[in-house]
Amino acid sequence: MHTWPVQDAKARFSEFLDACLSEGPQMVTRRGAEAAVLVPVQEWRRMHAAARPSLKELLLSDQARADLILPARGNAKRRDVEPLR
């Protein structure tokens, strides 16, 4: 993966984009630290489709998240607790 400083990626964006489309993902750095990656849209769609659902999608889903076995109410055993002194 080729690495581009952000100022080079901005100044030579067409070349940056062409490299992404012909060579694959391109890394962008800011002040020497990895900041972002430009990926072809086909790769983005593949990664997005393979990703797990987001927390929001899970919470809004109609599907069961797990099979929970819960005891019937009122049948729980309580332990004796010593009073505070």
Side-chain angles (χ1 to χ4, degrees):
M1 180 180 331
H2 188 261
T3 301
W4 298 71
V6 70
Q7 62 271 21
D8 289 349
K10 287 169 54 175
R12 300 169 31 208
F13 188 77
S14 288
E15 184 181 341
F16 176 54
L17 181 59
D18 289 341
C20 173
L21 296 174
S22 63
E23 301 169 23
Q26 303 291 302
M27 177 70 66
V28 180
T29 59
R30 178 179 282 163
R31 296 182 199 103
E34 294 177 342
V37 177
L38 181 67
V39 296
V41 71
Q42 299 88 350
E43 178 72 8
W44 168 255
R45 287 186 177 130
R46 184 194 65 74
M47 290 187 308
H48 189 46
R52 293 182 176 176
S54 69
L55 177 60
K56 178 181 175 182
E57 291 168 335
L58 284 173
L59 293 174
L60 293 175
S61 173
D62 290 335
Q63 297 175 344
R65 291 174 214 35
D67 293 327
L68 297 177
I69 301 172
L70 300 174
R73 289 187 63 125
N75 293 339
K77 295 182 180 177
R78 302 187 192 279
R79 62 178 189 197
D80 292 328
V81 178
E82 292 184 32
L84 294 174
R85 296 179 192 199

